[in-house]
C-alpha cells in the first residue's frame, strides 16, 4: 500500500460518514507528510491530514497536548477582546472515537486539523506591504501568548533552537570522521563555522526571558487572505514550545529577507534585504511593544546573525550524517542549502550597523 492509499484509509477515521474522499498532497514541507482531504459527499468539507515524522518528533502526542493548551488560551483571549482583525488558528479534528490523533497498524501517528479556506502562502516576499503583514502575524502570535506560562507546554523537540547544541552535534559528527572525500565546498563550510564559534552561544549566555515561541515562523507558514492579502494565520504549530523570541524573529527575518529563497541556484547572489527587514520589524514592534523588554531588544541583531548560521549548520550536519532529517531530492542538496544560509549570514554581518539601527527603532 502506497502512502496516498494509507492516507485515504486513515482519513476515514476522521470523518463520521461514509463517502468519497479526494486526497492530494499539500505543501512542500521537509518534515511531515501532509494532505488536503475533501469530503466530497455530502458536506464538501475540507481538512488537513498529516503523518507526523516520528524520527523528528518521537512523542507526537505531546504536540497535540501543546496544541490544545495553545488553542484554549488564544481563543479565550480573543473572546475577551474586540480587535477588528486577529489571527485564525486551525481546529483540532477528532476521530470517530473522539481522539485527537490516530495511530495506524504500522505505528505511524496521524492527526487532522481544520483547513483555513480562502488563504494562500508564499515562498518569497513580494514587497514591503506583504512584509509588514508577516511582521504583524509573528508579533500578534507573541502578543497572544505573552501571558501563557511557557512551563505549561511540553518541549516537543529538546534542543531545537538551542544553538550551542547544534554546534556540539556537529563536533561529534566531525570527530567520527567524514567517511568520504572532502570537496572545496565542504571545506569552505567547515571553515565558515569554525570562524564563528562564539556566535552560537551569545543568546543562551544572555539570560533572556523564556516565552512561548512558534519555533518555525518562516514565510510559507504565514497564510494570507486570498482577497485582501492580509495575514490571516500562522500555521505549523508542531514546534510551539518554551524558548527565546529571538529565535522566532531571527528565523522569520532569515526566511523573508533572503529574496533568492532557501534553494537559490547561486549562493553568491544571496543577500539580506534591509527594506523587508524594516517593514517586518515595524509591524512586529507595533504588536509587541507592550511586553518586549530592553534586554530582549538589545540582542535582536545577534538573533538575525545567528539564525542563518544555525540553519546552515543544521543543513551541513545533516549532509554529513547522510540526510537523515531534511528531505533531499538529490545527493549534496543539504550542503547546497548550507552554503546559501552561510552566504546570507555573511551579508547580515556586512549590514550590522544598519540592522542594529532598525532593531532600536520604536514603532
Amino acid at each position: 500500500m502506497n502512502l496516498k492509499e494509507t492516507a485515504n484509509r486513515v482519513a476515514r477515521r476522521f470523518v463520521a460518514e461514509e463517502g468519497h474522499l479526494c486526497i492530494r498532497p499539500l505543501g512542500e514541507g521537509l518534515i511531515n507528510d501532509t494532505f488536503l482531504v475533501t469530503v466530497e459527499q455530502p458536506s464538501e468539507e475540507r481538512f488537513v491530514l498529516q503523518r507526523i515524522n516520528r524520527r523528528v518528533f518521537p512523542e507526537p502526542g505531546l504536540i497535540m497536548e501543546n496544541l490544545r493548551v495553545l488553542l484554549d488560551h488564544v481563543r479565550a483571549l480573543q473572546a475577551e477582546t474586540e480587535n477588528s482583525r486577529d489571527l485564525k488558528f486551525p481546529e483540532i479534528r477528532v476521530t470517530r472515537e473522539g481522539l485527537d490523533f490516530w495511530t495506524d497498524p504500522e505505528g505511524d501517528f496521524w492527526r487532522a486539523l481544520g483547513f483555513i479556506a480562502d488563504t494562500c502562502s508564499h515562498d518569497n516576499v513580494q514587497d514591503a506591504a506583504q512584509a509588514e503583514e508577516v511582521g504583524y502575524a509573528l508579533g500578534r502570535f507573541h502578543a497572544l501568548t505573552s501571558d501563557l506560562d511557557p512551563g505549561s507546554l511540553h518541549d516537543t523537540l529538546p534542543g531545537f533552537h538551542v544553538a550551542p547544541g547544534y554546534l556540539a552535534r556537529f563536533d561529534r559528527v566531525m570527530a567520527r570522521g567524514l567517511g568520504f572525500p572532502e570537496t572545496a565546498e565542504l571545506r569552505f563550510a567547515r571553515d565558515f563555522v569554525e570562524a564563528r564559534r562564539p556566535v552560537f552561544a551569545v543568546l543562551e549566555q544572555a539570560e533572556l526571558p523564556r516565552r512561548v515561541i512558534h519555533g518555525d515562523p518562516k514565510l510559507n507558514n504565514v497564510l494570507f487572505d486570498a482577497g485582501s492579502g492580509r495575514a490571516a494565520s500562522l500555521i505549523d504549530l508542531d514546534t510551539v514550545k518554551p524558548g527565546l523570541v529571538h529565535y522566532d524573529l531571527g528565523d522569520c527575518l532569515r526566511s523573508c529577507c533572503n529574496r533568492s529563497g532557501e534553494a537559490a541556484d547561486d549562493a553568491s547572489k544571496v543577500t539580506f534585504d534591509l527594506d523587508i527587514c524594516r517593514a517586518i520589524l515595524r509591524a512586529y514592534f507595533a504588536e509587541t511593544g507592550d511586553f518586549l523588554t530592553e534586554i530582549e531588544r538589545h540582542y535582536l541583531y545577534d538573533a538575525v546573525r545567528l539564525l542563518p548560521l544555525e540553519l546552515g549548520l543544521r543543513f551541513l550536519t545533516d549532509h554529513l550524517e547522510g540526510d537523515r532529517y531534511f528531505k533531499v531530492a538529490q545527493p549534496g542538496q543539504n550542503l547546497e542549502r548550507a552554503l546559501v544560509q552561510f552566504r546570507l549570514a555573511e551579508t547580515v554581518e556586512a549590514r550590522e550597523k544598519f540592522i542594529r539601527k532598525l532593531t532600536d527603532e520604536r514603532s
Side-chain angles (χ1 to χ4, degrees):
M1 185 183 303
N2 62 36
L3 180 57
K4 188 174 180 179
E5 292 173 338
T6 301
N8 189 299
R9 294 186 64 173
V10 173
R12 295 189 179 279
R13 308 300 311 187
F14 292 91
V15 296
E17 65 279 345
E18 294 294 335
H20 182 66
L21 302 182
C22 176
I23 298 180
R24 64 176 178 84
L26 180 65
E28 299 177 353
L30 299 180
I31 306 299
N32 299 323
D33 297 302
T34 305
F35 302 88
L36 178 62
V37 180
T38 303
V39 185
E40 295 190 344
Q41 295 178 353
S43 56
E44 289 293 327
E45 63 177 329
R46 292 179 289 177
F47 63 91
V48 176
L49 179 69
Q50 287 187 305
R51 182 175 69 167
I52 304 299
N53 187 332
R54 298 194 79 153
R55 289 193 301 172
V56 177
F57 298 101
E59 297 186 74
L62 301 183
I63 294 175
M64 301 308 295
E65 291 182 20
N66 278 1
L67 188 55
R68 281 284 182 193
V69 171
L70 174 71
L71 294 181
D72 288 348
H73 175 84
V74 167
R75 292 199 169 111
L77 188 61
Q78 289 177 328
E80 296 173 358
T81 59
E82 296 182 359
N83 289 339
S84 58
R85 65 175 297 197
D86 214 330
L87 295 179
K88 299 176 183 177
F89 291 89
E91 298 280 353
I92 297 174
R93 188 182 182 100
V94 299
T95 67
R96 296 176 181 178
E97 297 79 12
L99 302 174
D100 286 348
F101 58 88
W102 178 256
T103 304
D104 68 22
E106 286 70 42
D108 286 330
F109 185 101
W110 298 78
R111 60 96 181 275
L113 301 172
F115 178 70
I116 301 176
D118 303 317
T119 60
C120 60
S121 62
H122 302 283
D123 291 323
N124 297 96
V125 173
Q126 306 301 311
D127 50 36
Q130 190 177 83
E132 285 199 13
E133 290 300 310
V134 174
Y136 161 79
L138 182 58
R140 186 59 186 153
F141 178 87
H142 285 163
L144 286 168
T145 58
S146 62
D147 60 345
L148 175 58
D149 178 11
S152 66
L153 298 176
H154 302 288
D155 189 347
T156 56
L157 276 176
F160 183 61
H161 280 326
V162 181
Y166 294 122
L167 186 60
R169 180 166 187 163
F170 170 75
D171 288 340
R172 291 193 297 271
V173 172
M174 291 304 304
R176 295 198 295 265
L178 291 178
F180 52 84
E182 184 175 56
T183 63
E185 291 82 3
L186 180 54
R187 164 57 66 180
F188 171 84
R190 288 179 57 193
D191 289 346
F192 194 89
V193 172
E194 290 299 326
R196 290 160 177 81
R197 278 187 170 270
V199 177
F200 287 92
V202 170
L203 295 183
E204 299 302 324
Q205 292 175 346
E207 298 184 358
L208 297 164
R210 257 39 183 188
R211 299 186 185 277
V212 174
I213 66 171
H214 177 278
D216 192 20
K218 58 190 177 185
L219 175 61
N220 59 15
N221 280 334
V222 178
L223 295 184
F224 297 85
D225 184 276
S228 67
R230 303 178 85 183
S233 182
L234 189 56
I235 59 170
D236 198 356
L237 303 171
D238 297 346
T239 50
V240 169
K241 57 174 279 184
L244 304 178
V245 295
H246 298 71
Y247 285 108
D248 268 1
L249 186 55
D251 203 26
C252 178
L253 292 169
R254 176 203 61 76
S255 168
C256 296
C257 298
N258 173 14
R259 303 292 290 277
S260 300
E262 293 184 4
D265 295 329
D266 185 353
S268 67
K269 296 180 180 179
V270 171
T271 190
F272 186 87
D273 192 311
L274 289 173
D275 291 333
I276 297 299
C277 177
R278 178 182 294 107
I280 290 174
L281 288 176
R282 183 188 305 122
Y284 177 81
F285 289 148
E287 295 297 321
T288 60
D290 289 343
F291 62 87
L292 206 64
T293 66
E294 287 300 318
I295 189 68
E296 287 175 303
R297 293 182 74 115
H298 176 77
Y299 280 94
L300 289 180
Y301 166 75
D302 299 284
V304 179
R305 182 189 188 191
L306 172 61
L307 266 294
L309 183 59
E310 178 195 271
L311 181 58
L313 180 63
R314 293 174 64 200
F315 283 140
L316 175 59
T317 304
D318 201 37
H319 168 71
L320 296 174
E321 291 189 296
D323 306 315
R324 298 177 182 178
Y325 186 94
F326 297 105
K327 296 177 183 177
V328 295
Q330 67 274 337
Q333 187 173 13
N334 275 326
L335 178 57
E336 295 170 2
R337 289 166 173 163
L339 295 175
V340 168
Q341 295 304 315
F342 291 159
R343 172 56 184 165
L344 184 62
E346 277 188 316
T347 66
V348 168
E349 292 168 348
R351 291 159 173 77
E352 176 178 356
K353 179 176 69 174
F354 303 100
I355 296 172
R356 286 193 182 277
K357 183 178 179 181
L358 293 178
T359 60
D360 287 339
E361 291 178 357
R362 298 298 188 264
S363 61

